[in-house]
């Protein structure tokens, strides 16, 4: 005798209890503190902050812990929390020229004012697993110099002086930028909205898209004009005050890609820009973002549209991993009503095909 | 009136008041020409009706430019009250407004002076909020279209001049066009652009 | 660590009524009114991240959260059933964030949020049916670009849809679309009914309830007001037809309802029962008997 399945509610509660248990794992192993995540998994924290679009190291660490280290799940937790926060206002644009730089490199020049600062980079590490890290080996104390508070000129500013690099867009042309968290996106997008979408886009997706442009799918002759990582001051204009009020400092990674460009009907030969800016230390993401930003400027610069990375709707509509994971994973929800409809249809079409075959055979005999 | 009176007259429970006012407006929009009570209204300064104030606090905020007809725009207490209680920026261009508030309904600008939306984005149009004295007097109208089972008889007063002609122009622009929220005493009725209106007296 | 321990748990615990903040509700409410005013037109809205994944009904949840009030009684179904896991999860979400009463009885609900079905029990004036929609654009699988489909809607240029349906007929002798079967609303917009089986399409036509559609990930809201003309696309020589089942429900004997096929053993045994669990239970309570009980 068939009885319809019941008890879904108890099943959900049990699943949640099991999840909490598996998240904690073996109780004899010490519980992971948020401070440990913030300090020792800081690049994971940075990724959750940037794609979660919420600058809060502690909440990002909490999200990573709760998500059992699944960073897309953690990003989703951060976003879902962020969306409930009241919005008090918009900060002034950050001035990365006044960044307190911890790392700054340019691939375009051997040396430049302010110097090449390697900073804490994996770049020249030999990727050999370090057995000492399996224990609690104390690292050597690094050499650090006194912080230099003088502004460090950006490579794009040097190039701009000679007129070889297109000027940066003038903020006065669009004093109030778009806000993709508040306004529904519509295509074609302005570059400000597009950059916002890329800034919270999935690192892996942007990496692949940027990579594709290097392999000839919309080749853009990129040079890493400058990558800088460090802290910038956030300020907000308060109508009652004559000066902008400081809110604090955040760490960001900026990449200015410089792309050789032979000119088109719309723009003269010059170096063009691709731009990437993300929260925290996230160099791969910033570079990929800059490549994709440049590729998406194809229409603006009068280039032929030939490759996926130039296709604004394709790139932007599929760059958000919270959306993507939701829709891919929703396939595991029940779809049996629609499947039933398809079952009926396939059965009917097979029956019709059989009749057709029989008729054909009879005709042949 | 004291200088700071615009600070008062808000709602004790804006969350619940907003919800119930919205449901009244939504049902009124879904069934054009039906009248729905809005009970929990704010107390704005004279010149702005309480029902219009309820519509404003329910639907308008910093994201919605609003246009005020001359008698409202000229009333500084009303302007301050709306700014404080909704945060909506006031625009002098009727064609830029997401909402238009009209207290002097009989002599309002014609409907085509407001944002009509585009063929691609017909939603980018003005929603007009008109002060009316009630729904039991005035020229009888016959309504048809979505939200109406066959036809519905409806009246509101005062009515803008040449309203039936203006409305047939509005209907002809469909899917572009404006939608009306008629704010009577503690009640609303709506005329969305999808409604066809003919005189109900012949 | 300090502020997390001290403050946030408290803050997190005091979400607004129906979870969304008031500004978000106003934005959604404005979109709903536009949707009602232009039946079948997809209104863009600034969809928010919700505490359940995109694809789990975030559009429907946002619409319900924007309209629901303390006097409402909410019913949530998925595949026609109140006891599917995601329906339970969404119902619990609203119980927790609004405290409103919930029900499984279609006739007692003022708001019914649904995924993939329209209840068998006819709806009444004043009821609101909220659909969860994954892909709101009926032309999307024929033309993936939003910029193109928006122009097609603007120009009322729907030839591509008719061509697709006609190709079905040429190949199969009939239209091979069984769910998310496109409709034309009030003679103007071609509209996606959400992935309901086409069996449910006729219920949309001149329905006395208000039908609201929310697509969270795709950021669209649309509406069909009560009594609106909703016509499934077809051809004179190939009129629209709905699925028919050979046998009635094995539990309640209902005919003319949509049935789920349930596999009963590993030797190919199967039976057909109502997809609408409330309808089936109500009929069984009224003494109707299907072949399994007979
Ligand atoms: Zn049954």
């Amino acid at each position: 005798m068939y009885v319809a399945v019941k008890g879904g509610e108890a099943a959900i509660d049990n699943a949640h209890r099991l999840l909490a248990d598996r998240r904690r794992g073996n109780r004899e192993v010490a519980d992971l503190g948020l401070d440990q995540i913030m300090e020792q998994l800081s690049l994971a924290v940075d990724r959750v902050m940037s794609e979660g679009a919420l600058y809060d190291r502690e909440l990002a660490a909490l999200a990573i812990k709760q998500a059992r280290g699944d960073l897309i799940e953690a990003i989703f937790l951060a976003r879902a929390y962020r969306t409930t926060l009241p919005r008090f206002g918009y900060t002034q644009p950050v001035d990365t020229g006044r960044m307190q730089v911890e790392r700054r490199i340019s691939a375009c020049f051997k040396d430049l004012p302010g110097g090449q600062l390697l900073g804490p980079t994996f770049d020249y590490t030999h990727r050999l697993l370090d057995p000492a890290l399996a224990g609690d080996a104390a690292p050597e104390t690094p050499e650090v110099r006194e912080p230099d508070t003088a502004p460090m000129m950006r490579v794009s500013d040097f190039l701009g002086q000679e007129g070889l690099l297109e000027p940066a867009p003038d903020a006065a042309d669009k004093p109030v930028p778009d806000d993709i968290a508040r306004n529904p996106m519509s295509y074609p997008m302005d570059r400000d909205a597009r950059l916002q979408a890329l800034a919270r886009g999935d690192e892996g997706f942007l990496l692949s898209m940027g990579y594709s442009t290097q392999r000839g799918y919309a080749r853009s002759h990129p040079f890493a004009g400058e990558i800088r990582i460090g802290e910038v001051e956030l300020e907000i204009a308060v109508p009652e005050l004559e000066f902008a009020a400081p809110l604090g400092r955040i760490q960001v990674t900026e990449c200015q890609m410089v792309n050789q460009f032979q000119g088109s009907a719309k723009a003269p030969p010059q170096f063009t820009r691709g731009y990437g800016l993300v929260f925290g230390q996230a160099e791969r993401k910033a570079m990929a973002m800059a490549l994709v930003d440049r590729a998406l400027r194809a229409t603006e610069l009068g280039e032929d549209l030939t490759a996926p990375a130039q296709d604004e709707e394709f790139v932007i509509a599929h760059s958000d991993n919270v959306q993507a994971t939701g829709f891919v994973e929703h396939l595991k929800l029940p779809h049996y009503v629609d499947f039933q409809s398809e079952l009926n249809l396939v059965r009917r079409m097979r029956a019709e095909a059989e009749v057709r075959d029989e008729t054909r055979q009879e005709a042949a005999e | 009136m004291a200088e700071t009176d615009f600070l008062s007259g808000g709602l004790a429970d804006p969350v619940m008041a907003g919800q119930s006012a919205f449901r009244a407006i939504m049902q009124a929009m879904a069934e054009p020409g039906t009248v729905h009570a809005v009970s929990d209204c704010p107390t704005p300064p004279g010149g702005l009706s309480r029902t219009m104030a309820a519509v404003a606090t329910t639907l308008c905020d910093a994201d919605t430019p609003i246009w005020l007809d001359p008698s409202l725009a000229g009333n500084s207490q009303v302007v301050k009250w709306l700014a404080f209680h909704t945060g909506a920026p006031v625009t002098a261009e009727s064609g830029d407004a997401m909402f238009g508030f009209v207290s002097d309904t009989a002599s309002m600008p014609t409907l085509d002076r407001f944002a009509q939306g585009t063929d691609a984005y017909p939603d980018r149009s003005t929603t007009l909020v008109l002060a009316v004295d009630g729904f039991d007097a005035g020229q009888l109208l016959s309504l048809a279209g979505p939200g109406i089972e066959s036809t519905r008889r409806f009246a509101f007063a005062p009515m803008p001049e040449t309203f039936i002609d203006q409305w047939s122009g509005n209907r002809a622009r469909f899917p572009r066009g404006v939608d009306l929220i008629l704010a009577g005493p503690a009640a609303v009725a709506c005329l969305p652009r999808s409604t066809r209106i003919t005189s109900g007296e012949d | 660590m300090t502020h997390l321990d001290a403050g946030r748990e408290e803050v997190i615990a005091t979400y607004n009524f129906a979870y969304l903040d008031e500004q978000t509700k106003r934005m959604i409410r404005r979109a709903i009114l536009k949707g009602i005013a232009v039946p079948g037109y997809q209104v863009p809205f600034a969809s928010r991240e919700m505490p359940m994944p995109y694809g789990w009904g975030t559009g429907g949840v946002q619409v319900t959260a924007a309209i629901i009030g303390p006097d409402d009684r909410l019913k949530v179904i998925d595949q026609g059933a109140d006891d599917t896991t995601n329906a339970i999860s969404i119902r619990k979400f609203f119980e927790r964030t609004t405290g409103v009463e919930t029900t499984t009885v279609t006739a007692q609900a003022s708001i019914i949020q649904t995924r993939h079905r329209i209840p068998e029990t006819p709806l009444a004036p004043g009821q609101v049916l909220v659909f969860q929609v994954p892909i709101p654009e009926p032309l999307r699988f024929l033309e993936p670009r939003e910029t193109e489909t928006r122009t097609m809607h603007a120009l009322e240029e729907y030839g591509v849809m008719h061509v697709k349906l006609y190709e079905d007929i040429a190949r199969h002798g009939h239209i091979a679309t069984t769910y998310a079967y496109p409709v034309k609303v009030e003679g103007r917009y071609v509209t996606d009914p959400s992935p309901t089986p086409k069996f449910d399409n006729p219920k949309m036509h001149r329905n006395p309830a208000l039908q609201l559609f929310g697509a969270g990930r795709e950021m669209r809201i649309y509406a069909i007001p009560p009594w609106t003309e909703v016509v499934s696309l077809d051809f004179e020589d190939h009129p629209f037809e709905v699925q028919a089942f050979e046998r009635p429900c094995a539990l309640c004997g209902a005919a003319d309802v949509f049935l789920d096929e349930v596999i009963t053993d590993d030797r190919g045994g199967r039976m057909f029962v109502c997809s609408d669990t409330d309808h089936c239970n109500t009929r069984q309570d009224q003494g109707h008997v299907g072949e399994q009980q007979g």
Side-chain angles (χ1 to χ4, degrees), chain C residues 178-241:
Chain C
T178 59
Y179 63 92
Y181 189 103
V183 295
K184 197 162 201 182
V185 176
E186 200 65 17
R188 176 57 180 82
Y189 283 100
V190 167
T191 302
D192 178 60
S194 88
T196 49
K198 67 178 180 179
F199 182 88
D200 285 339
N201 276 22
K203 296 177 188 160
M204 301 173 80
H205 177 58
R206 293 185 61 75
N207 193 312
L210 170 62
Q211 301 171 74
L212 300 177
F213 300 77
R217 193 178 37 75
E218 298 281 338
M219 307 186 181
R220 298 289 183 271
I221 283 172
Y222 53 103
I224 299 176
W227 311 113
T228 301
E229 302 275 328
V230 180
V231 179
S232 302
L233 300 185
D234 64 357
F235 299 93
E236 257 174 40
D237 49 343
H238 286 275
F240 173 80
E241 53 179 29

Side-chain angles (χ1 to χ4, degrees), chain C residues 249-277:
Chain C
C249 169
L251 298 177
C252 76
D256 305 322
V257 295
F258 194 85
L259 300 178
D260 295 334
E261 181 170 340
V262 181
I263 297 175
T264 50
D265 58 43
D266 55 9
R267 299 179 308 276
R270 53 174 58 92
M271 63 190 291
F272 289 86
V273 299
C274 288
S275 128
D276 184 333
T277 50

Side-chain angles (χ1 to χ4, degrees), chain A residues 56 58 311 313 338 340 342, chain C residues 1 3 145-146 178 195:
Chain A
D56 187 320
E58 197 176 19
D311 185 331
E313 245 198 89
D338 291 342
Q340 186 66 53
E342 296 289 81
Chain C
M1 265 312 340
H3 60 297
R145 271 171 213 287
E146 162 72 11
T178 59

